[in-house]
Amino acid sequence: MFLSVIIAVIMIFGAMWTIVTEDLFKAIVIFAIVSLSSSIMFLLMQAPDVAITEAAIGSGITTGLFIFTYKKVEEEKDER
Amino acid sequence: MVEILLVPLITAFISDIFIKNKRLVWFLFLISNGYILYKLYSLYGKWDLTYILNTDYQIFGAKLSLGLSNNPLGWYFAFFSAVVTLVIAIFSIGFNTNSKGNVAPIWMLIIFANLGIFYAADWITFFMMWELMGWTSFFAITNGNTKALDGAKYYLALSLLGGSSMLIAILLLGAYTKTFIIITSAYRLIQLFNLAEGVFTTILLLFIMAFFIKSAIFPFYMWPSKVYAVGPEDYIAFMSSVMIKYGIYPMAIFIVPVIGNLQLPKIFNAGNWMQYFIGYLGALSAVVGTLLAMFQTDMKKLFAYSSVANMGYILLGFASMSIVGFEGSLFHVVNHIVLKAAIFLSLAAVVYRTGESEMHKLGGLVYKMPITFLTFLFGIIAAAGIPPLNGFGSKWMIIQALMEKKMVVLVISMVFASTGAFMYLFRALVSIFLGQLPERYKDVKEVPYTMSIPMIIMMGLMLLIGVVPGVVMKPLTIALDALGYKVDIATWTTLSSSFKNATIDLKIVFYMFAMGIVVAALMYLFGNKSETIPQHDNYTAGENPIEWGVDADKFNYSYSFYQPFKEMFDPLFERISIDRFFSSIGKNFEYISPTIQGLYKRGEGAVLLFSIGVLLFILGGWIL
Amino acid sequence: MNSIVFLVVIPIIAAFLSLFLGKVNKLIAYIVTIFNLSFSIVVLVSGKIPFNVAIGGWRAPYGINFVVSDITIFFLLLINVAAVLSLTTIKEHMEYQFYAFYFILLAATNGMVLTGDIFNFYLFTELTTFAIGGLVAYKRDRLATGASLKYLILSSTASTFSLAAIGLIYKTLGTLNFADIASKISNLNKASLSLILILFISSMLVELKIFPFNIWVVKAYDASIPAVNLFLHGMVSTAGVYGAIRILLMVFSKNSIMLSQSSNIANILILLAFITVIISEIGALTEKNLIKVLAFSSMAQLGIFLFGISLGNYEALKGAFYIVISNYFAKFVMFIVAKNYSVIAGSRNYEDMKGLGRKYPGLAIAFTISALSLMGMPFFAGFWGKLSIVGNALLMDKIAIIGVIIILISSVIEGVYYLRISHTFFSDGNIQDTKLSRINCVLPIILAAVILIIGIYPNSIENIIWTMINEIQNTPEKYIQVILPLK
Amino acid sequence: MTQVFILSSLSLMFIGLYGVLTRKNLLKIIIALNIIETGINLLLVSFGYIDHGITPILTSQESILNLNKMVDPVPQAIVLTSIVIGLGTTAFALALAIRYKITHNSISINASEEEEGRGI
Amino acid sequence: MKDETSVLVNIIAFLILFVIGIYIYSVAIDTGAGIKITDNITPTMRVADKYLNKNVLDDNSTYQWGGTAEDTAANIVTSVVVDYRLFDTTLEVIVLFITILGFGFVIPKDKRKIIKPTTILNRWAPILMLLMLMIGGYTFINGHLSPGGGFPAGAIISTAILTGVLTGRRTISQKSLKIIEAITGISIFSIGIISYFLTGSFFQNFILNDKIGDLFSGGLIPIFYGLIAFKVAAELSNIYFEFYEE
């Protein structure tokens, strides 16, 4: 029962941290953690289908995309 | 009856197709005007002719039906404006041979709207024709030259504003009196007075605002000077004489009967406060019009303000609410149409020949253009209200009516205004035609025949109405009688005044003046001749002012003719200027608009504003 | 009549095919659009109008269903006609992605009008957003990327709001079908209903271009190519208008036409409506770029439409329909004229288009006619709309009267800047003689003629609109028994 | 139990909305958008959740017997679709962000739209 | 670094969120009549009841394990996603199609350097690819029995192709990916059209009388999930090709 509370706390703090941090790469990594923990939350809500999809697409592909764009955007290193 | 409206529409369409060759288009214009005049003449007397077109468009639950009816007052206005339009049509054939833009198709549309306004039976048709006339006159004024744009924009904004206020008034009227027919809505509006006085006054004030904007009465007197100076001259002749009456017609047919038989307490037992409200506005526009006319240097602007003053006289006639006053102002409507058209035709002739409209740059044209001078002289005399010509009769009746109703302040302002009229009319005559002819206009010739004949016709008209007022008064009194006013039919040459048995026989007055002119002519012929000195010698001692680097025309005696008089009134006009007030409103809108464009151009506050919108909903949904 | 689903399926299949057929895409686009139009005409003529199609064989509240009633067919025709007309303005060769986006846009807008399920409506809105995002970004230059990105961010936040509303509806009422919601809406708690309404309306108003939500409009119109402007105007805002009518009037308003149970949400809508009108008119006053002027003016017209709807009486609703029709035709003409003139004059600034009216009078006259109809001048279609909206708003409460006065003032402003533009068209300027092919002069003239005919003789349109308003009048009963008789 | 789920998803949505409203960097905004999407998905599934519910998958005969203890499948169906929409939005927005970086050579949202900056 | 406008924006954002939060709270604890958003309505009171009991068409049909029913997918979520509300999922595929198309269309194509893959990755790549393909295959083949389904399967298969791209091995060319994508998309909708001609209404399940629980039950569902899996796999690997084009 209180596993869900722990996961919820992790998610909320991760979300806040992602929004607040300055460094982009750190934000992306923490976002990956948040989406993984949301996939666990889906499991706790008895929704395995959604959990797998969220894990595969929500955290897998999206984080990959973010890192890809981060690499492309960071190339010139003059982020104003 | 409906073919009288179809003919101008069809000619507008045809002339729009053949817009390229001018001769055909203006010839078509003349023929259709002639046809309209003939048709109007044949409609005289048949007052029960109506034409109803019912659409199944539902407004306030009932199906809307648009109608035209041959009401006597509408016929009266339409007939006499058709007469003058025909004359102007003849004039503009010659005038437009070499002008750039072609205003004939738009002008035909305006004539269609003109007839529509005078013949509308219900308010919705009236409003449709009114708005059509609004935007078509914008296109007629600008007619392609961009320097006319800001004056025309000013006029367009005002007329659209008038249109919207009239739309609100009509819809309120329709909602509360369940009818759009003009006559029945007038009666029901009077009963509505004691039910919902607030609504009654708003309806009346909104109507009055719309009509005053169109007829350039006091609060909205600025647009004629801006518009008449820039428009094509022959169209302006039509506009300044006929189109400025569109506000007067609904006043006569709707506002005056409603105010007339309102059971309101009489102030100094002369009239209720509505009458005084209209009266004072009329007086103000008469006085202000005259004063501003004096200070103008451009001749078209001068006569624009003189139109404002004449509209003031008509309103004063309405304010007296007596039969003679009512007849006098309606008679003045026709007089003003005729004399204003004559004056503007001669101005158009001057501009056609010299291309100049600043008075101090002109002078001495009397030798070169005698017929134009004569028409202008007749116009001046009529405008001043001197007996043999038509201006006198109507002003005389209005002042009689005001005296009889003991509205002394209004009489004083009217008399002040008409004496003021002498000043600026004389100034215009002197600076344009008398004095010395500047060198650049040495080879100016008289205007060709097609333009001088209509001017002669106008002179004849003015003289005819002046001597035999029955030509106008008889159809007017028959029309008023048909409308149900207790009025005795006027005789051919005598005008009845409001006091007992004080009639005036204009034939005798004409004979007296004829003898006076003969004596003056004799004295002129046998008196000693005056020798002419070049104009500039008297103050530049033979030197040529050009070497001083100064524009010689500024030294012309008619440059600022009434400078002392102007200094007397300047402090008054500096502080309160309605003109600045209205144009400042326009400026504010144009000032705010770049900030809004900035908001939309950057577009990065989108989500922020989205959530503010949600906030607005929450506050509304939750707190309210 | 199960084959109505072809209207959505055929364009999607064409979208898949468009990946390969580079050159032939334009032809396929014409074929598919004309198929859609003729199919909807066949359905109109077939006379079996109020019918319901259950997709996948599952009956109404449980499966997804398409509903075809008088309003649906009317808007379907509007959208498909808009699609055909805007295709004609595409001259040069477009990449295959453009046609893929176009097909999906066609399928999505048709679907939005047809669907009877709230989640399906959300999905179609999403599809429209993505398609429009892609089309706006078609030029891929600086302006287009910025406009498309900002539009995407705004519309995805808006869509999360509507997803939350759908979730709440499902949690409380337990169904996702419009008819079922309409029948169960009244036993909802007032506060919960206003929460759901607020979430739904805020995402709806983004598409209806109402003030706080319409920051994206001017950038999107300015950044996209003329054909996309026509898509945006013809298909997307018509579908948005349909969404507003169908959902706000038929689903969420139980018995009274009052837009929503809580009247103060209706007051806020009236307030927002006339604020949009006055702000977009003032914004357009000194705007030099013709396309931006048209964007501001289309915001104003939709503001008047929302004002007409949320007044809460049937004649004002009729006026709102007139405004939609007149805006639909008028804006079409104006966008086509703006495209042709900006091609000739080389810039979108209307001051450089001086004198074009003399060289191509047909286009300039059509532009003036549509401008006058938008201003609500008599003898044009817009007047009838303005007449009934102003007439009925005057009898309402105080906020409606203030709204009407502000709308009339803004129509004065609109008059000033529109006639100034048409005056610059007619004034004399030196324009070198680039020949404009005659055929695209014909289209604006026909549409302007339609506006004129409606303006002079409104009977034909009047009966069509009254059939639609009768359907809205006895909304839930008639609508539900069309969809849920099989219970 | 459901309170925890609903409250956590609501707070996720609020944090995401805060991020979208305040951040300047485009990638940050897109991350915040994703957080809102995840929050919404959690909210929807938590609407369907009942305490001590079991997964709505029929594994054997006795799972058919206690159907009424199963969690509501419809929100899960909706969330399946909405996750993929979230992916679509992110992919499209990221591509536009890269193009935005090239044309505006800055990824802050209020780069001015006018002509400066090299555009491809 | 924070200039005062962004501080102001922060405060406004806090204010807005605070007011929205309070409003939602007040709606939650509202005590008016009628269904409130907080009272727990069990699935049986919702549409889901018919999906659970699989008796949408006739009301009192029941089923038992191994027997036949309206929709024989054991995993009820899959039955809702692919059978009862199939149109949503097809639209979902279109959304993905459009966004990935937009992604490829908008992304600037410039020369990118290839990082040489590390030896570990190089050695393990084939095994990883096989593993991914097997997992993906499993998820969509019995999507109707165990959790999982078309979308995660597609994602997993696309990661297989990703490893191929990462290590530089040419598994599938972009042209063929586009062809697969188009073919699967068209076949999804053509099945819909076939079912229209066969059974009169779109996307109706025309393969019937399977039994719940066994592998090939659920009529069209496995076919649809397979097609969706391949389509998603093709689309996502399109993205990866953008990453590391040679």
Side-chain angles (χ1 to χ4, degrees), chain B residues 71-78 80-81 118 241 245-254 256-257 310-320 322-338 390-391 393-395 397-398 401 465 469 471-481 483 485 487 495:
Chain B
N71 64 44
L73 211 52
W75 176 88
Y76 171 74
F77 274 79
F80 286 103
S81 42
F118 291 139
S241 55
K245 303 295 179 302
Y246 293 157
I248 302 297
Y249 166 66
M251 288 283 289
I253 200 154
F254 180 76
V256 167
N310 282 306
M311 289 306 118
Y313 304 148
I314 295 173
L315 263 181
L316 286 173
F318 286 154
S320 68
S322 75
I323 278 299
V324 173
F326 195 42
E327 270 175 37
S329 44
L330 288 179
F331 185 25
H332 193 69
V333 160
V334 171
N335 289 345
H336 183 259
I337 289 180
V338 171
N390 61 358
S394 51
K395 274 192 183 169
M397 290 168 78
I398 294 173
I465 299 172
V471 165
V472 173
M473 288 304 287
K474 204 171 274 298
L476 173 61
T477 40
I478 291 168
L480 288 178
D481 188 30
L483 267 178
Y485 290 89
V487 73
L495 286 177

Side-chain angles (χ1 to χ4, degrees), chain B residues 539-553:
Chain B
Y539 48 81
T540 55
E543 298 258 340
N544 188 339
I546 310 293
E547 289 110 18
W548 305 343
V550 166
D551 169 8
D553 297 326

Side-chain angles (χ1 to χ4, degrees), chain C residues 2-3 5-6 8-9 12-13 15-17 19-20 54-59 61-64 66 95-97 100-101 104 117 119-120 123-124 127 130-131 134 137-138 140 168 170-176 187-192 194-195 198, chain E residues 23-24 27 30 32-41 46-48 50-51 56-57 59 70-71 83-85 87-88 91-95 97-99 101-102 105-106 175 178-179 181-182 185-186 189-190 193 196-197 200-204 231:
Chain C
N2 283 356
S3 55
V5 189
F6 276 122
V8 179
V9 170
I12 289 178
I13 292 181
F16 284 120
L17 285 175
L19 293 179
F20 307 107
I55 295 183
W58 311 112
R59 57 186 168 87
Y62 304 102
I64 296 165
F66 275 7
E95 291 168 33
Y96 74 90
Q97 282 97 345
F101 284 132
I104 297 300
D117 176 278
F119 185 65
N120 217 334
L123 268 177
F124 279 124
L127 267 177
F130 289 134
Y138 179 73
R140 287 175 286 187
L168 279 174
Y170 182 72
K171 178 170 174 15
T172 49
L173 300 179
T175 78
L176 285 173
N187 44 34
L188 240 180
N189 166 5
K190 223 168 93 51
S192 322
S194 56
L195 173 66
I198 287 173
Chain E
Y23 177 64
I24 292 176
V27 168
D30 183 270
I35 310 168
K36 285 185 280 302
I37 53 175
T38 46
D39 40 12
N40 50 16
I41 300 174
R46 296 190 185 127
V47 171
K50 283 269 190 287
Y51 297 149
V56 168
L57 288 185
D59 280 356
E70 253 170 24
D71 157 276
D83 200 353
Y84 291 121
R85 297 183 66 88
F87 199 58
D88 284 354
L91 284 186
E92 195 36 53
V93 165
I94 304 303
V95 165
F97 165 72
I98 273 293
T99 36
L101 189 81
F105 176 62
V106 168
K175 196 80 187 73
K178 226 157 64 160
I179 293 167
E181 193 184 338
I186 293 170
F189 281 91
S190 49
I193 293 173
Y196 167 70
F197 288 119
S201 78
F202 267 85
F203 293 116
Q204 187 157 11
K231 181 149 194 13

Side-chain angles (χ1 to χ4, degrees), chain C residues 216-277:
Chain C
W216 62 276
V217 173
V218 178
K219 279 174 72 69
Y221 272 86
D222 190 25
S224 47
I225 56 175
V228 175
N229 283 344
L230 286 174
F231 293 152
L232 258 173
H233 159 65
M235 300 158 85
V236 176
S237 56
T238 323
V241 158
Y242 172 81
I245 292 174
R246 169 69 79 191
I247 291 175
L248 297 186
L249 282 191
M250 295 172 81
V251 170
F252 283 115
S253 71
K254 186 66 190 68
N255 32 38
S256 77
I257 172 149
M258 221 15 231
L259 195 57
S260 67
Q261 307 303 76
S262 57
S263 73
N264 41 35
I265 284 191
N267 283 347
I268 300 285
L269 277 175
I270 292 176
L271 182 79
L272 282 185
F274 67 74
I275 288 177
T276 325
V277 174

